[in-house]
Amino acid sequence: MLTFKNRTALVTGAGRGIGKAIAETLAGQGVTVVCVSKSADSCGAVAAAITAAGGKAKALAVDVADGAAVAKAAEQLLAEFPAIDILVNNAGITRDGLLFRMSAEDWDSVIATNLSSCFHWTKHLARPMTRARWGRIVNMASVSGIMGNAGQANYSAAKAGMIGLTKTLAREFASRSITVNAVAPGFIKTDMTTEFVNNAEVSAKILEAVPLRRFGEAADIANLTAFLCSEEAGYITGQVFSVDGGMAM
């Protein structure tokens, strides 16, 4: 067991995939988890399952791309909890396409959901962390933000932006004992990757670039994230951890 002292966490994109695994893993460590997703049904189902298993969780349906909605949700949460001690910015979407075929809407929606949401949540939830002189922020980047990926100019730019944001906030918040780190998943088996994971020809080609020759599991990301949110990770900040089977080494 990792060490958590009556902590409350907010996990965005918690209705499925990596976010769901992170929410469940933190709850299993005794953390109270606010499960956020755009869909009330999906985050509600995750929160209900955590509660049924003996954990503490609540659901909150928010479109993280809407800065005003995030500000309102944060205000409501801080009226209910003294602080959100742990923030995991995991929500993300893809709108893939080569640059010349990418619409401005596809660019804007990915930047807003994947990158701007991190700015809004952090801005509205980090101040109580600074007063408490304790906090953990983990931003879910991607190997695409490190290496780039053809057909994902919007996604790669957003994830690279998250890495820059992570390193800057780590410097800004360090004096208040708030750590800020990023996790960069590679090819993880989730709903987002089902299409190529289940295609034998496509998956074989992808795995040629993965030294471990397999796709990762959501638990691989959740376990590292939980560690970075714990007391044990108090001397780690401003770092980007690739969990990619060796792709970006």
Side-chain angles (χ1 to χ4, degrees), residues 60-245:
L60 187 62
V62 184
D63 180 357
V64 300
D66 184 339
V70 170
K72 182 178 180 180
E75 182 180 7
Q76 293 172 343
L77 286 169
L78 293 177
E80 181 177 354
F81 299 98
I84 299 298
D85 309 292
I86 297 165
L87 170 61
V88 181
N89 287 306
N90 166 75
I93 61 172
T94 56
R95 296 288 185 271
D96 295 349
L98 295 174
L99 182 68
F100 292 140
R101 299 175 185 171
M102 184 175 292
S103 68
E105 181 182 359
D106 287 344
W107 172 271
D108 291 340
S109 62
V110 169
I111 296 297
T113 301
N114 296 26
L115 177 58
S116 297
S117 64
C118 300
F119 164 78
H120 293 300
W121 282 114
T122 305
K123 182 176 181 180
H124 293 294
L125 294 181
R127 194 172 296 278
M129 294 183 191
T130 65
R131 289 196 292 267
R133 292 184 175 271
W134 197 96
R136 299 284 188 266
I137 300 171
V138 178
N139 295 322
M140 202 56 55
S142 169
V143 291
S144 293
I146 298 172
M147 302 169 60
N149 193 27
Q152 288 192 315
N154 48 7
Y155 187 78
S156 296
K159 295 302 186 179
M162 290 175 72
I163 291 171
L165 180 64
T166 296
K167 290 180 175 292
T168 296
L169 295 181
R171 293 184 180 278
E172 290 188 9
F173 295 158
S175 65
R176 296 289 177 167
S177 298
I178 299 167
T179 66
V180 189
N181 292 290
V183 176
F187 288 103
I188 308 297
K189 289 190 284 187
T190 66
D191 292 346
M192 188 180 288
T193 59
T194 297
E195 184 176 345
F196 58 76
V197 168
N198 291 338
N199 184 310
E201 183 178 348
V202 173
S203 62
K205 186 174 181 179
I206 290 171
L207 291 178
E208 289 177 2
V210 181
L212 285 181
R213 294 294 187 269
R214 65 176 178 85
F215 294 104
E217 303 287 344
D220 295 321
I221 309 302
N223 291 334
L224 174 59
T225 301
F227 170 71
L228 292 173
C229 294
S230 71
E231 295 287 342
E232 284 77 4
Y235 199 57
I236 303 170
T237 196
Q239 304 304 306
V240 182
F241 295 90
S242 295
V243 186
D244 60 6

Side-chain angles (χ1 to χ4, degrees), residues 17-55:
I18 290 172
K20 176 177 180 286
I22 291 170
E24 292 172 341
T25 301
L26 288 173
Q29 295 282 341
V31 176
T32 299
V33 183
V34 179
C35 302
V36 173
S37 74
K38 190 174 182 179
S39 165
D41 289 341
S42 63
C43 63
V46 174
I50 288 172
T51 302

